[in-house]
Amino acid sequence: MEAPLYPDFPLDPSTPLGGQPAFWVGPRYLAGDDGRLYDAVADTLAGLGWTSLTIVRGRHEPDEAPEDRQVLRSTVLHISPDVLRWAQWSLADEPFHLGDLPIAWQISARAETSSPLAQWSASFTPDVPGEAVADFLVALDARDQPVMPYAGPELVLDAVTAHGWLRDIDQPHAAATDPTFTSHISLGEVPPLIQDADPRALTTEADEAGPAGWQAWAEPALGAPCLWAASFGASVPHDLVAAFVASLSSTAPVLRRVLPEATRERLLRAPAI
């Protein structure tokens, strides 16, 4: 059982100077996104030279003041310099849900510019640690070919077991969990609406298993709502998933000011001075 490094420090102390104090916390996979999932990822993409476009849809009446405009849908799209990969922040855009959680970031790639369709997509809900999504994007940006598979699924499991995660006893080659049994990765059927170019996704019958892709999620307590979820289409290269889970399972602490209510008592923490 994990406990605070400094139990005498309150998690949300109110200080006379105002503002929220920062803590170094772990494990990363239970630390949430600090309320900065957009900023953390968008800053990474800006550093990589990706272009951002804001799309706003709404209703504007004649002679209506700008502040009275009804914005119905709004998204931010980030596009790589070679336009083969893109990331869409869709939380404000009436997003699809992954489980019971809204999808915040959807990241996609295609093989060539002549095709308007993504070869694969990966989806991330709020409270996925921003560091892990950023590392996934750095690995994607570094690839010459964003859709070409370079390695097998064992690479993903190796990435987490190197950080102390445990292989599933029943599925040692397809699943693993963290030592507290709250966070999981599994290679299995991809949820509906996760875009992928694998033709089996379109031809699978109701009683047949669809193409397998990696899924990851954190369930703070058995039967409790998930803290976060991530889904990777069947065609997402395994080395990219490995980059995500290696960052997710990293034992290095992360800086946080806002801790998830569901996991705050499980987090090791120390004041950031």
Side-chain angles (χ1 to χ4, degrees), residues 117-135:
L117 300 177
Q119 290 289 108
W120 58 256
S121 67
S123 300
F124 306 89
T125 72
D127 274 324
V128 174
E131 296 87 351
V133 182
D135 286 341

Side-chain angles (χ1 to χ4, degrees), residues 136-148:
F136 175 84
L137 283 161
V138 169
L140 172 61
D141 184 80
R143 269 175 151 257
D144 292 332
Q145 297 293 329
V147 302
M148 187 71 67

Side-chain angles (χ1 to χ4, degrees), residues 33 36-48 50 78 86-89 104-107 124-125 128-138:
D33 63 12
R36 297 187 65 257
L37 185 56
Y38 175 78
D39 293 332
V41 174
D43 289 349
T44 297
L45 294 174
L48 294 172
W50 290 35
H78 299 256
W86 59 94
Q88 180 176 329
W89 173 258
W105 279 105
Q106 185 171 61
I107 299 166
F124 306 89
T125 72
V128 174
E131 296 87 351
V133 182
D135 286 341
F136 175 84
L137 283 161
V138 169

Side-chain angles (χ1 to χ4, degrees), residues 141-201:
D141 184 80
R143 269 175 151 257
D144 292 332
Q145 297 293 329
V147 302
M148 187 71 67
Y150 291 157
E154 196 69 15
L155 188 65
V156 177
L157 294 169
D158 288 344
V160 292
T161 55
H163 292 154
W165 284 38
L166 310 171
R167 289 178 184 255
D168 186 275
I169 296 176
D170 298 321
Q171 305 177 77
H173 302 293
T177 185
D178 78 279
T180 68
F181 300 98
T182 56
S183 300
H184 313 266
I185 61 167
S186 178
L187 182 62
E189 187 172 358
V190 177
L193 303 179
I194 299 299
Q195 186 174 3
D196 197 88
D198 190 324
R200 292 176 296 164

